[in-house]
Amino acid sequence: MNQTTNTILMIRPANFRMNEQTAVNNYYQHNIDDALPATINVKAQNEFDAFVEKLRSFGIHIIVVSDAKETDTPDAVFPNNWISFHKDGTVAIYPMFAENRRLERREDILEQIEKEGFLIENIVDYTSAEEEGVFLEGTGSICLDRGNNKAYCALSPRADEELFIEFCEDFEYTPVVFTANQTVNGKREAIYHTNVMMCVGETLAIVCLASIDDKAERKNLLKHLKEDGKKVIDITEAQVNSFAGNMLEVRGKDNEHFLVMSQAAFNCLTQSQKAQINNHCKIISSPLDTIEFCGGGSARCMMAEVFLPKK
């Protein structure tokens, strides 16, 4: 089973800004004090368009759907949190922490995917968990190793352990659970999404081991990655702050493998880390400064991988 796909769903922002509802536990978000919302949105759109163009230039198939102007959906550019697509034709829909993020879930996006020739056989909907105040934000909360049927999850207010286990039972993944922290004002706070501190590729994994304070959990995570033959590249907390954990391996023309990241993530990597990545796949980077600064998410969050079968 492939860990990578060459088809990605991306949502072009229409109302992008810092989302005050998610900022309560996403410590990577900031406000641009003197900038008008419309200016911030245009900057985000320009970054998005350049990113899509760059990915397409390497032969990656991007399905672009525009966010709806009439809804208050500042984070719509991060679709991987509410939906995931699976090889058996199943789509999973996830419960979201922020109320305004729930508006991102749109049936017409599924219709668009089907129009592109993909088969949706079944929808597994976890959104009723929102009524209990329980959340699991898609492949933000869960890093999937599809090839080895393992799912990695750093528990947080947006990643509930019981619901994660239920997901693993439904989709037949072995769960690997841990807690990942960052230092905020001198205190250790849970990192809001697993995919900020970890990326699992086909033959490599990028992880901030220092964020896992519990030694037994860190050891267990490494054991799983190594037994599956992954080359582990350790990144620092400072590099996590530049979104070096928020990467995604994809396939382009002639099945060539690429690790996609932002320019900030690329710039913060050491020469040794870049060389290690290049042993496994080529790097694609694109500037996403506004999206990262205001949205608190980066390249990986913007890409929902399509693994569905073709009609």
Side-chain angles (χ1 to χ4, degrees), residues 127-138:
T127 58
S128 63
E130 287 166 353
E131 293 158 26
E132 273 86 61
V134 167
F135 313 107
L136 186 69
E137 295 192 334

Side-chain angles (χ1 to χ4, degrees), residues 85-197:
F85 303 98
H86 302 267
K87 63 172 181 178
D88 62 353
T90 302
V91 172
I93 311 284
Y94 297 93
M96 309 284 278
F97 170 81
E99 284 184 29
N100 62 5
R101 292 215 62 189
R102 298 168 196 175
L103 304 170
E104 295 171 29
R105 302 187 293 240
R106 286 164 41 196
E107 271 185 41
D108 65 300
I109 291 175
L110 297 184
E111 288 160 17
Q112 185 66 38
I113 298 281
E114 289 185 304
K115 274 188 198 143
E116 296 276 341
F118 292 97
L119 196 60
I120 295 174
E121 297 269 28
N122 182 29
I123 294 175
V124 179
D125 188 337
Y126 296 105
T127 58
S128 63
E130 287 166 353
E131 293 158 26
E132 273 86 61
V134 167
F135 313 107
L136 186 69
E137 295 192 334
T139 53
S141 297
I142 308 166
C143 283
L144 294 176
D145 182 352
R146 295 173 190 256
N148 295 292
N149 290 96
K150 278 186 191 163
Y152 295 86
C153 182
L155 302 179
S156 79
R158 304 205 206 169
D160 178 79
E161 184 167 10
E162 276 182 42
L163 192 55
F164 170 61
I165 300 297
E166 186 184 325
F167 165 85
C168 288
E169 286 169 356
D170 291 343
F171 285 86
E172 298 181 351
Y173 281 94
T174 300
V176 183
V177 178
F178 55 97
T179 303
N181 295 311
Q182 63 187 134
T183 302
V184 183
N185 301 325
K187 270 171 54 188
R188 295 296 272 167
E189 303 275 9
I191 291 177
Y192 79 107
H193 277 162
T194 313
N195 75 2
V196 174
M197 51 70 65

